[in-house]
Amino acid sequence: MPVATDTDAQDTRPVIACFGDSLTAGYGADPGQSYPDDLQRRLDAQGYRYHVVNEGVSGETTKDGLERVDRVAARHPKIVVLEFGGNDGLRGLPLEQTQSNLAAMIESLKKSGAEVVLAGITLPPEYGPDYIAKINAIYPALAKKYHVRLLPFLLQGVYGTPGDMQEDGHHATAQGNKQVAANVEKLIQPMLRK
């Protein structure tokens, strides 16, 4: 569970909250090697004054995210990078519920004044083309309905790239997270202000 630290409280820069599951948390990578860490370094290097907060919790489903969304909204983030659904898919949960939970999170975050961007995921081939097509369709449908920017696949340019994925085949390595941060930066670029 992400914990607000004293340094977070003293940091007056606008917040970018990276809100998701293990892909956001940086599962399996060393501390400081998650994609939100790399995103902070990228923005700092370009002179953007934002405070990137990692609100990723490994193992969470969209239901867990929905239970946490108010705490994330309470940080008054300027931008939220929303990434959930992988664990729902891996557990074979009803995808109507996944879509409904994501929709409720988007609504709640937008109501708090945050600009939301959506980062989609997909599943390994062994889950079958029908199920994969259904999960893949959730993200563009929500992006269209709520007029939010979409990164169709968070691990674009990472999945299947040697050295970018951990042996489990689900999570990015420290090297892979650098590319994920680049993907996310490109997604939020039009929203950034210097």
Side-chain angles (χ1 to χ4, degrees):
M1 169 95 36
V3 180
T5 63
D6 288 343
T7 49
D8 281 347
Q10 293 159 4
D11 198 321
T12 57
R13 295 174 295 176
V15 168
I16 296 174
C18 299
F19 182 31
D21 54 32
S22 56
L23 297 178
T24 296
Y27 174 87
D30 289 336
Q33 302 297 314
S34 69
Y35 97 71
D37 292 311
D38 286 314
L39 181 61
Q40 181 73 70
R41 287 188 280 271
R42 291 179 71 89
L43 296 178
D44 289 348
Q46 295 173 65
Y48 287 110
R49 288 190 43 75
Y50 286 92
H51 178 48
V52 179
V53 177
N54 189 335
E55 289 284 354
V57 176
S58 293
E60 283 202 341
T61 62
T62 55
K63 180 178 176 285
D64 301 313
L66 189 53
E67 287 169 6
R68 261 191 327 125
V69 73
D70 290 342
R71 286 201 301 268
V72 174
R75 297 189 82 140
H76 304 292
K78 230 29 201 156
I79 299 170
V80 177
V81 182
L82 184 62
E83 172 274 313
F84 279 101
N87 292 315
D88 297 48
L90 294 174
R91 294 173 196 176
L93 299 176
L95 296 180
E96 300 74 30
Q97 197 58 55
T98 299
Q99 186 157 349
S100 155
N101 290 341
L102 282 165
M105 283 188 265
I106 293 169
E107 287 173 13
S108 182
L109 291 165
K110 286 185 94 163
K111 203 177 290 176
S112 79
E115 287 190 88
V116 180
V117 297
L118 195 54
I121 57 87
T122 189
L123 295 175
E126 61 267 24
Y127 282 80
D130 292 347
Y131 191 67
I132 292 171
K134 282 181 186 154
I135 201 162
N136 289 353
I138 289 173
Y139 301 96
L142 289 171
K144 186 176 179 189
K145 179 176 179 182
Y146 291 103
H147 308 287
V148 297
R149 291 179 61 80
L150 171 67
L151 173 63
F153 184 36
L154 183 74
L155 299 175
Q156 188 180 317
V158 177
Y159 192 79
T161 302
D164 280 4
M165 292 296 289
Q166 295 176 37
E167 285 181 19
D168 66 9
H170 297 298
H171 300 94
T173 60
Q175 175 184 310
N177 278 327
K178 287 184 169 66
Q179 179 60 49
V180 174
N183 293 345
V184 171
E185 185 194 0
K186 189 175 175 190
L187 179 68
I188 65 173
Q189 186 70 48
M191 302 170 166
L192 300 175
R193 302 283 174 267
K194 283 208 172 160

